[in-house]
Amino acid sequence: MSKTIFITGASSGFGAGIAKRFAAEGFRVIINGRRAERLAALKKELEENYAAEVYVAVFDVRDKKAVNACIAALPENWRTIDILVNNAGLAAGLSTIQEGDTDDWDTMIDTNIKGLLYVTRAISPMMISRGSGHIFNIGSIAGKYVYPNGNVYCGTKFAVNALSESMRIDMLAHGIKVTAIHPGAAETEFSLVRFKGDVARAGKVYEGFTPLSAEDIADTVFYCANLPAHYCINDLVITPLTQANSHYSRKNG
Ligand code: NDP
Ligand code: 8X3
């Protein structure tokens, strides 16, 4: 049977790009997100374009019960998950600590940290029982360097960085690879979500340079997922050529 990849946050951006790339290469794909209609449309696209086998898993990664119920209810022929991509995540707002919206903080912490943990806790034992698997965690350049007003989002991505290092130790005895990918600025729905639907403000983030795309990240994940069995890319920072890190960028040439 072809290999199976489980992608959280596949209804847009990196997750949708990863689903398309792996489906095009013959993988069976499980796509998660909260927006059922987006996932249904993606399923149709993957089936029509690549004759892919697709399973739609609609749940909110923050909802521990829903995560466990959905994964426990996977049909027998979808239970051999070779690759998990913990991608679902978001930034909500951009402000100082003293002005921050505590509901936004809860959303980011619950999604980016706790959601990643719930999904990993549910799926990793299935990989351990088979003695193989590959877990990808989508971190961020924000998990390597903090930047002004990034506070809580940066904190969640520093946590993803630490959890990736930690779970790599836990998975060592079981032959399971753990790869953390830390992208810089990429044009997806990320800024639209961060700025709560403000299209003009979101668009400005990507003016004056060529940002990363969902396809760039999908290519990177695909490369790391298809290396020989005896080695693993553990930690990878990827930025546009115009971005050295969170502090040094070059716009307009
Ligand atoms: P998008 O907003 O385009 O995609 C985010 C995805 O996460 C959507 O599919 C969304 O689906 C899903 N998601 C959000 N909250 C939940 C939830 N509670 N439960 C399930 N799914 C959820 O942004 P990106 O593709 O850019 O973001 C993907 C990841 O990449 C995030 O972790 C982000 O932090 C990280 N990242 C992004 C960068 C960028 O510049 N774009 C750079 C570095 C890292 P739905 O709304 O349907 O639930
Ligand atoms: C998203 C990239 O630099 O806006 O994680 O934090 S950044």
Side-chain angles (χ1 to χ4, degrees), residues 60-95:
D60 185 327
V61 297
R62 293 172 297 177
D63 182 342
K64 188 168 28 179
K65 281 195 181 137
V67 171
N68 289 333
C70 189
I71 292 168
L74 283 173
E76 200 50 44
N77 64 334
W78 284 101
R79 300 189 68 76
T80 303
I81 296 166
D82 299 285
I83 302 170
L84 163 64
V85 184
N86 282 311
N87 165 74
L90 78 170
L94 185 68
S95 59

Side-chain angles (χ1 to χ4, degrees), residues 12-14 89-92 112 140 142 147 153 157 185-196 202 205-206:
S12 72
F14 297 166
L90 78 170
N112 301 357
S140 170
Y147 54 83
Y153 178 68
K157 291 300 183 176
E187 189 160 12
T188 61
E189 294 178 16
F190 176 84
S191 292
L192 199 60
V193 171
R194 167 171 257 175
F195 299 127
K196 304 182 180 177
V205 174
Y206 308 108

